Amino acid sequence: QKEVEQDPGPLSVPEGAIVSLNCTYSNSAFQYFMWYRQYSRKGPELLMYTYSSGNKEDGRFTAQVDKSSKYISLFIRDSQPSDSATYLCAMSAVTGRRALTFGSGTRLQVQP
Amino acid sequence: GAVVSQHPSRVICKSGTSVKIECRSLDFQATTMFWYRQFPKKSLMLMATSNEGSKATYEQGVEKDKFLINHASLTLSTLTVTSAHPEDSSFYICSASAASSYEQYFGPGTRLTVT
């Protein structure tokens, strides 16, 4: 079993839809949770960063962490064609090398 | 957000030669830098972690003598692929993290093609 599971998609939605992206994990030591967006042939861009459980909102993006269920989500409101990309969840434990463990990424396509 | 650059963005080299890739944090001091490799339509695979002034820590299965990492300053890390072979062709991405921070900021990546 992988430490972090993420549905690879592709996920296709119409413009304006609410998108829900999710990851589950098995390592209870993970405390820091991040979402990255990666366009083709580019480096990942940090979208959201949360510590422990709870919600965080930034513009059209909302990140949720439920540590009791080992489940994290990223919601995108009013999705735009420019949101079409691969979304990677990543997480890290408090101790150790601070290395990130990534999900496999979900490819999102927003249709105009 | 913080800015990380990589150079070159793409490089083509002949088998047996060495290639150096630079990773720079432009607007913050990166005490830790990470090097990843990414295959097409796959997630990032961590190769090594480097702390400024220290030897890099390599992940299992990554050859230290083949992938030389130097982190000589708080803004620069280099990855040298020595004696490159076609199977080393890949997308190499670095990331940088400031002291006491778990956020990693990624560079734009370097596409290496070994012919």
Side-chain angles (χ1 to χ4, degrees), chain A residues 36 38 43 93-94 97-98 103, chain B residues 32 38 43 59 98 101-102 104 107:
Chain A
Y36 287 87
Q38 186 176 25
V94 173
R97 300 177 282 115
R98 298 190 288 150
Chain B
T32 306
Q38 188 175 34
S43 192
E59 294 300 298
S101 171
Y102 287 81
Q104 289 185 28

Side-chain angles (χ1 to χ4, degrees), chain B:
Chain B
V3 180
V4 176
S5 70
Q6 261 183 261
H7 177 80
S9 58
R10 59 178 64 186
V11 57
I12 301 172
C13 71
K14 292 189 175 180
S15 189
T17 60
S18 295
V19 173
K20 180 185 283 189
I21 302 170
E22 289 188 350
C23 177
R24 292 180 186 273
S25 56
L26 299 184
D27 52 2
F28 69 102
Q29 293 188 323
T31 52
T32 306
M33 285 185 166
F34 304 83
W35 286 95
Y36 295 84
R37 186 171 177 178
Q38 188 175 34
F39 293 101
K41 299 187 178 181
K42 299 291 184 184
S43 192
L44 288 78
M45 182 187 79
L46 179 65
M47 298 174 65
T49 303
S50 73
N51 292 297
E52 185 263 338
S54 303
K55 287 186 178 180
T57 302
Y58 290 80
E59 294 300 298
Q60 194 171 9
V62 177
E63 298 176 60
K64 301 178 184 182
D65 296 330
K66 181 164 189 61
F67 298 101
L68 301 178
I69 291 171
N70 183 281
H71 190 167
S73 77
L74 285 171
T75 59
L76 173 65
S77 177
T78 60
L79 167 68
T80 301
V81 183
T82 62
S83 187
H85 287 95
E87 57 266 29
D88 299 325
S89 298
S90 191
F91 192 51
Y92 292 88
I93 315 176
C94 71
S95 71
S97 183
S100 303
S101 171
Y102 287 81
E103 296 161 78
Q104 289 185 28
Y105 295 93
F106 284 82
T110 296
R111 183 157 303 281
L112 170 64
T113 303
V114 185
T115 60

Side-chain angles (χ1 to χ4, degrees), chain A residues 23-90:
Chain A
C23 288
T24 58
Y25 62 95
S26 57
N27 188 346
S28 57
F30 288 144
Q31 295 275 11
Y32 292 89
F33 304 91
M34 284 153 247
W35 284 95
Y36 287 87
R37 176 174 63 194
Q38 186 176 25
Y39 292 110
S40 182
R41 299 174 184 265
K42 301 290 184 184
E45 172 194 5
L46 181 62
L47 285 177
M48 299 290 283
Y49 168 74
T50 52
Y51 172 70
S52 196
S53 285
N55 295 356
K56 185 173 183 179
E57 187 174 323
D58 184 2
R60 295 185 296 114
F61 299 93
T62 300
Q64 287 185 352
V65 175
D66 181 351
K67 289 192 66 187
S68 62
S69 301
K70 295 190 178 66
Y71 187 88
I72 69 171
S73 301
L74 177 70
F75 297 96
I76 307 174
R77 290 182 297 281
D78 188 25
S79 57
Q80 303 294 310
S82 58
D83 294 329
S84 298
T86 296
Y87 290 79
L88 297 149
C89 64

Side-chain angles (χ1 to χ4, degrees), chain A residues 6-21:
Chain A
Q6 186 175 8
D7 189 332
L11 177 62
S12 184
V13 301
E15 184 175 354
I18 297 175
V19 176
S20 173
L21 303 166

